[in-house]
Amino acid sequence: VVSLRPGMLKDRNEVMRKLIDIQYMRNDINFERGTFRVRGDILEIFPAASSENTIRVEFFGDEIERIVEVNYLTGEVIGYRHHVSIFPASHFATTDEKVARAIQTIEEELEERLKVLKDQEKLVEAQRLEQRTRYDLEMLSEMGFCQGIENYSRHLSNRPAGSRPFTLIDYFPEDFLIIIDESHVSLPQIRGMYEGDKSRKTNLVDYGFRLPSALDNRPLKFTEFESMVNQIMYVSATPGPYEAAHSQNTVEQIIRPTGLLDPVISVRPTDNQIDDLVNEIRKATDRNERVLVTTLTKRMAEDLTKYFKEIGIKVNYLHSDVLTIERTKIIRDLRLGIYDVIVGINLLREGLDLPEVSLVAILDADKEGFLRSETSLIQTTGRAARNIEGKVIMYGDRITNSMAKAISETDRRREIQAQYNEDHNITPTSIIKGIRGTIEATKVAEGEEDYSDKFSHDEIESMIIGLEGAMLIAAEELNFEKAAELRDKIREMKKMLK
């Protein structure tokens, strides 16, 4: 960390050298985060942690005369600082002693690996590896940093070969608690991260692009993750076999505060299924309700959407080719009534909370597989559990084991919920969930209205987050005028919080 105060005796060049040591780069033209520039006795630093404010250090000889925080775009003086701490521009910053030790061990590994490759008569791979590694070593020696430095993390942290990497979990206190949401999805992802990383890097090592130590810059193996767990809670509507086998206590949260029951599931034949579905959609839209339809392929989702549009249904499709920000907009538009139907594949499952949806239609429900497994069917069914009129239609010519289990589990939950409502005189009501946040964020970006008296502190903060996302998107699209306009709106709203 570079610590600076007015009045300190510091040579300007000495400060510049320290900035370079913590991975800052001098760039007098393209001034951006992680860089600094020099103009006479003025040193300007763009901290890596800052988005728009820079630090201007003014020298008088070898003494720091003044430190000013400035907006780098407008030049506006934000304030005068009595002390600033400049943290490293990169996570990969370490001492000169550790770098020197790492260079030595990298050279040793390089010689061993070159011998192996030459013995296997892989001369091209050997030359490639030596050329790349020698360049990286020279950069480490001169600059203390090189591109792809993370691949040498084992040497820099002085770990033995094959040892697990350090992770955020190492910094947690001894009594920490892990909560894994949607564990039926998250746990397989944790289990698969190591193998996926290893598969990719093995090719890099085999063809001379990286040293074998690059394999030690990796995610945790699942067994390593398990060994670091102190207390853990799995949260899922459809827990898998691992959770069941390792859980000491299972708690079912079946009762909803609103008294809502899980949706009724019916199975209908595939003959004339589209005509039948259109009829059900018409009934739902007449009640000002929404519909989700799931298919097995992108092509079918797009073709079905096209057909629905031709017969006058307000519809859009949602699949992995749709950009994330666009997905959010489509779902919001469904709630607003711009669309009555969304056709999707695998995205209409976990995490969607849409009270307006009263019907979920599952096409080809009898085609066993990942998209029509027991877990997938239960998760998809749950999207209709936020509305009192919620129901699910599975189209299939037979009832598969997955369908039978999903129907049985849903019926079991309905029975418990209905009995609880009867015992406690609860009348089920649909969830009421406002959508004002997204709409009002758009109004703030477009209008001049003052919202300080209309919304709470938390609501204004939520709007600011939405505007910041829109600003970043505008900047990525090179629409800088719009980005600047949104930036000014964000400043105005931040003033309301003070």
Side-chain angles (χ1 to χ4, degrees):
V1 179
V2 178
S3 179
L4 302 173
R5 296 177 186 272
M8 288 181 70
L9 292 177
K10 286 276 189 181
D11 180 63
R12 187 199 65 179
N13 291 342
E14 178 189 348
V15 176
M16 290 166 58
R17 282 192 292 270
K18 288 186 176 181
L19 289 172
I20 292 172
D21 287 342
I22 59 173
Q23 312 307 329
Y24 278 80
M25 297 181 65
R26 178 172 179 174
N27 194 325
D28 293 337
I29 300 173
N30 184 24
F31 194 41
E32 59 185 6
R33 288 195 298 177
T35 65
F36 66 90
R37 64 186 178 188
V38 182
R39 295 177 177 177
D41 287 335
I42 297 176
L43 171 64
E44 289 185 287
I45 308 166
F46 204 140
S50 176
S51 60
E52 58 182 27
N53 292 344
T54 64
I55 303 299
R56 179 184 295 164
V57 183
E58 300 177 7
F59 290 85
F60 184 77
D62 290 341
E63 181 182 351
I64 297 177
E65 185 177 34
R66 187 168 61 174
I67 299 176
V68 186
E69 186 174 353
V70 180
N71 182 291
Y72 86 102
L73 187 62
T74 65
E76 176 189 356
V77 174
I78 307 300
Y80 297 93
R81 301 292 174 241
H82 298 293
H83 174 254
V84 292
S85 295
I86 309 298
F87 292 91
S90 165
H91 296 296
F92 302 100
T94 188
T95 62
D96 292 339
E97 293 78 9
K98 290 183 179 180
V99 172
R101 182 188 61 210
I103 289 174
Q104 181 180 349
T105 56
I106 292 170
E107 286 178 338
E108 292 171 358
E109 184 187 9
L110 175 62
E111 294 302 325
E112 294 175 6
R113 182 60 180 167
L114 289 177
K115 185 177 184 303
V116 171
L117 291 175
K118 289 175 181 178
D119 289 345
Q120 296 175 351
E121 297 186 352
K122 294 184 176 180
L123 302 182
V124 174
E125 288 83 352
Q127 181 185 15
R128 179 186 294 140
L129 180 64
E130 182 174 18
Q131 184 177 12
R132 183 185 190 108
T133 308
R134 295 287 182 202
Y135 176 77
D136 288 345
L137 287 172
E138 186 174 349
M139 290 293 294
L140 281 172
S141 177
E142 297 297 327
M143 304 293 296
F145 183 81
C146 68
Q147 294 298 321
I149 192 174
E150 65 275 5
N151 292 293
Y152 302 111
S153 62
R154 192 191 84 194
H155 296 280
L156 291 166
S157 56
N158 198 27
R159 292 187 284 116
S163 61
R164 73 166 181 83
F166 298 115
T167 67
L168 187 62
I169 300 178
D170 291 296
Y171 294 88
F172 290 168
E174 292 183 359
D175 60 343
F176 74 96
L177 168 67
I178 298 177
I179 300 176
I180 299 187
D181 194 20
E182 304 293 2
S183 60
H184 64 284
V185 174
S186 302
L187 284 174
Q189 289 176 340
I190 296 173
R191 191 178 288 112
M193 281 192 297
Y194 168 75
E195 292 298 336
D197 183 80
K198 179 183 176 183
S199 175
R200 180 178 63 85
K201 287 183 178 171
T202 298
N203 285 332
L204 295 177
V205 171
D206 290 345
Y207 289 97
F209 290 98
R210 287 293 174 192
L211 290 170
S213 57
L215 292 168
D216 290 326
N217 173 49
R218 58 174 176 81
L220 293 176
K221 298 178 183 176
F222 193 71
T223 52
E224 294 170 340
F225 171 74
E226 286 182 306
S227 69
M228 301 178 73
V229 169
N230 175 49
Q231 309 169 84
I232 193 164
M233 180 168 69
Y234 307 109
V235 181
S236 174
T238 53
Y242 179 89
E243 295 95 301
H246 290 77
S247 178
Q248 297 175 329
N249 187 20
T250 301
V251 177
E252 286 192 310
Q253 192 175 8
I254 295 176
I255 307 302
R256 296 185 175 90
T258 56
L260 279 174
L261 277 61
D262 276 28
V264 175
I265 301 177
S266 61
V267 180
R268 300 184 184 180
T270 57
D271 290 342
N272 299 317
Q273 62 179 349
I274 301 302
D275 292 338
D276 182 78
L277 176 57
V278 169
N279 184 46
E280 292 293 338
I281 290 173
R282 300 289 191 198
K283 292 178 182 177
T285 54
D286 288 343
R287 299 191 301 267
N288 194 31
E289 295 167 351
R290 314 288 183 264
V291 180
L292 300 180
V293 181
T294 65
T295 67
L296 286 177
T297 65
K298 295 178 184 177
R299 177 67 180 272
M300 185 174 181
E302 293 174 1
D303 289 348
L304 191 57
T305 300
K306 182 180 179 181
Y307 172 71
F308 283 163
K309 286 181 178 178
E310 289 175 352
I311 60 175
I313 294 175
K314 296 184 292 184
V315 62
N316 206 339
Y317 62 81
L318 196 70
H319 56 59
S320 58
D321 287 348
V322 179
L323 296 176
T324 304
I325 191 71
E326 188 66 22
R327 294 176 201 169
T328 306
K329 182 178 182 300
I330 291 172
I331 292 171
R332 184 203 68 180
D333 289 346
L334 177 77
R335 297 197 63 200
L336 289 172
I338 296 174
Y339 303 124
D340 289 326
V341 181
I342 288 183
V343 182
I345 304 172
N346 196 34
L347 298 176
L348 303 179
R349 288 176 44 183
E350 299 90 355
L352 283 186
D353 188 11
L354 307 172
E356 295 81 8
V357 172
S358 65
L359 171 63
V360 172
I362 304 175
L363 302 181
D364 298 311
D366 57 348
K367 302 294 189 294
E368 281 276 21
F370 171 72
L371 294 176
R372 295 295 180 262
S373 64
E374 176 190 355
T375 296
S376 293
L377 290 174
I378 292 176
Q379 288 288 347
T380 305
T381 295
R383 299 319 101 201
R386 274 72 171 171
N387 191 294
I388 192 171
E389 301 293 337
K391 67 176 182 179
V392 176
I393 302 176
M394 297 183 180
Y395 290 98
D397 294 324
R398 63 190 180 95
I399 297 180
T400 63
N401 289 333
S402 295
M403 291 171 64
K405 291 178 181 178
I407 294 170
S408 174
E409 174 62 16
T410 302
D411 289 344
R412 182 186 73 85
R413 295 179 183 180
R414 278 183 61 85
E415 185 177 342
I416 294 172
Q417 292 160 348
Q419 186 62 51
Y420 184 89
N421 289 349
E422 182 179 341
D423 294 342
H424 295 82
N425 297 318
I426 296 175
T427 302
T429 56
S430 294
I431 293 174
I432 299 174
K433 179 182 176 184
I435 52 177
R436 181 182 61 188
T438 308
I439 304 169
E440 297 296 352
T442 304
K443 286 184 179 178
V444 172
E446 296 172 352
E448 298 295 329
E449 191 170 356
D450 183 8
Y451 291 91
S452 57
D453 296 326
K454 297 183 179 180
F455 300 105
S456 67
H457 185 281
D458 291 341
E459 288 174 324
I460 294 175
E461 283 189 335
S462 178
M463 293 179 191
I464 290 173
I465 292 172
L467 285 173
E468 286 174 340
M471 178 183 69
L472 293 174
I473 293 170
E476 289 177 357
E477 295 174 350
L478 304 183
N479 189 353
F480 299 116
E481 292 83 3
K482 183 67 174 178
E485 180 184 342
L486 291 171
R487 180 201 64 208
D488 294 338
K489 292 295 182 183
I490 292 169
R491 285 179 183 167
E492 292 175 12
M493 298 192 73
K494 284 182 176 179
K495 290 178 182 177
M496 299 176 192
L497 300 177
K498 296 180 181 180

